[in-house]
Amino acid sequence: MPRSFLAFTLATLFPLPFLVAGAIFGGWAVWIALFYITLFVAGVDEFVPAMDRDGEAADDEDADLLSLVLVGVHFFLLFLMVWALSGHGTRLFSLDGLALFAATGLFLGQVSNSNAHELIHRGARGLRRAGKWVYISLLFGHHASAHPLVHHTHVATPKDPNSSRMNESFYSFLRRAWVGSFRAGLRAEETRLAQVGIGRWSMRNPYILYAGGAAAMLFASLLIAGWRGVAVHVLLAGFAQIQLMLSDYVQHYGLERRELENGAFEPVDARHSWNAPHWLSSLWMLNAPRHSDHHAHPAKRYTALDVPERGAAPMLPHALPVMACIALYPKLWRKVMNPHAEAWRSV
């Protein structure tokens, strides 16, 4: 088993037993999980030198196996927390419950999202479906269409709702990108179906699956824990969606592709995504912070993604989760990021 694959496994699964114990018993286990996901990961990233080496091409089956394990962990944790936080275990409206909600939401938004993002780019239909259902369970199924069909095509242009603009606050971006990506993904799917003579209301339109699947997931939470369970599910999904949107906001802030004389845009290259070569958060998020290489090679497995050479691509001043926290404070964000963004906009 390649060392990198073992590292990904340990980094992503370490908080799992503490989250489970915290859901059932509360107490110290909750705080260990939250400490690991927040302060420990950030601290290690600050004190361990940034990684410049290339990705390690772990065996494809090993990489996919961890992704499928994480899909199972996602659904187990989601419905366990629906049960627990609705009052059957560690109640939401308690100190332990709020910490458990935060830790779980961060796991769903950073690990489950990164894993689902990985899977919707896989060539195998079963793997793509697994990633799609993770997004559906987070009430964000349209991302499985909008991300590959819109974002990867139009990234760093005004046509991409999920490319954040210079001086745009995260809160303005959140409103614009959520609605914009839903609509753009729907248009892209309708165009794709029309090309083969299929109408928008066909059952082959994935948006029907996204809506029906989300309703089914909420119904499962209703059966598990009643209307409180539905409320917990919606809150967890909303928190996870914010994590996803923060990731998009940070990784493309202020970067633009030049419009050519013929009206097209220059090709996407390494200059159009922010990267973060930090060690532990990269393992934790399945190398999602190696974003330039992902846009260059969307089908490339997470274990093999490379860190761009210094000077070849924008690098965040801190790890991706830390930058996501800074993005919540627009004045501080602009102070930290605008000088870096202005430098790359002039390249």
Side-chain angles (χ1 to χ4, degrees):
M1 178 183 296
R3 181 177 59 185
S4 61
F5 173 71
L6 180 60
F8 283 114
T9 303
L10 293 175
T12 54
L13 295 182
F14 176 82
L16 177 59
F18 301 104
L19 289 170
V20 173
I24 299 172
F25 305 111
W28 56 269
V30 173
W31 298 97
I32 290 178
L34 185 60
F35 172 77
Y36 172 80
I37 294 171
T38 56
L39 296 179
F40 184 79
V41 171
V44 169
D45 279 343
E46 286 296 317
F47 291 105
V48 173
M51 298 186 69
D52 293 313
R53 62 187 176 84
D54 292 341
E56 299 177 22
D59 184 86
D60 289 349
E61 292 185 2
D62 286 339
D64 290 344
L65 175 60
L66 177 58
S67 285
L68 291 175
V69 168
L70 288 172
V71 169
V73 167
H74 166 81
F75 283 100
F76 172 71
L77 276 182
L78 175 60
F79 290 113
L80 173 64
M81 297 307 168
V82 163
W83 172 84
L85 293 171
S86 62
H88 299 87
T90 302
R91 288 178 171 271
L92 175 59
F93 295 108
S94 66
L95 192 59
D96 286 353
L98 291 173
L100 182 63
F101 176 87
T104 303
L106 291 169
F107 184 94
L108 298 180
Q110 295 179 13
V111 177
S112 291
N113 166 53
S114 297
N115 187 49
H117 168 259
E118 174 75 16
L119 289 172
I120 63 173
H121 285 290
R122 294 277 69 81
R125 182 177 298 180
L127 295 176
R128 289 202 309 274
R129 285 177 175 172
K132 187 181 298 184
W133 275 99
V134 170
Y135 282 128
I136 289 171
S137 72
L138 294 176
L139 315 182
F140 208 63
H142 71 270
H143 191 72
S145 291
H147 180 79
L149 297 179
V150 180
H151 178 64
H152 272 267
T153 301
H154 301 297
V155 64
T157 75
K159 295 181 179 181
D160 177 33
N162 286 71
S163 290
S164 47
R165 301 163 181 168
M166 192 71 178
N167 290 316
E168 181 179 32
S169 74
F170 169 68
Y171 303 101
S172 296
F173 168 80
L174 178 62
R175 294 191 297 271
R176 178 179 64 82
W178 203 108
V179 175
S181 63
F182 184 94
R183 291 174 174 172
L186 179 59
R187 287 194 299 269
E189 290 289 4
E190 289 176 347
T191 299
R192 184 178 63 84
L193 292 173
Q195 291 172 347
V196 292
I198 298 175
R200 67 188 305 182
W201 298 109
S202 168
M203 292 302 294
R204 292 177 62 179
N205 187 335
Y207 270 65
I208 294 176
L209 173 65
Y210 303 153
M217 291 291 167
L218 292 176
F219 183 68
S221 290
L222 179 66
L223 294 178
I224 291 169
W227 289 108
R228 288 184 180 179
V230 173
V232 169
H233 190 146
V234 170
L235 289 172
L236 282 171
F239 189 26
Q241 290 178 25
I242 289 173
Q243 303 297 310
L244 185 155
M245 301 303 281
L246 277 165
S247 180
D248 277 350
Y249 176 81
V250 169
Q251 291 180 116
H252 294 287
Y253 176 75
L255 302 177
E256 297 178 347
R257 290 155 60 190
R258 294 186 182 92
E259 188 172 1
L260 306 178
E261 292 182 359
N262 62 3
F265 290 90
E266 65 177 325
V268 179
D269 64 28
R271 296 176 294 114
H272 301 125
S273 300
W274 292 98
N275 300 270
H278 303 80
W279 179 65
L280 187 51
S281 59
S282 291
L283 293 172
W284 167 247
M285 300 178 73
L286 301 181
N287 271 345
R290 299 183 176 193
H291 210 57
S292 289
D293 195 24
H294 167 68
H295 271 277
H297 308 98
K300 199 173 185 179
R301 281 175 169 78
Y302 62 91
T303 50
L305 290 173
D306 298 332
V307 177
E309 294 183 5
R310 292 287 176 178
M315 294 287 177
L316 293 170
H318 302 285
L320 180 55
V322 173
M323 295 306 296
C325 291
I326 294 175
L328 297 173
Y329 303 91
K331 288 185 179 180
L332 178 60
W333 171 260
R334 288 192 291 268
K335 180 180 179 181
V336 171
M337 278 299 295
N338 277 17
H340 298 279
E342 291 286 4
W344 279 98
R345 285 164 64 89
S346 63
V347 172

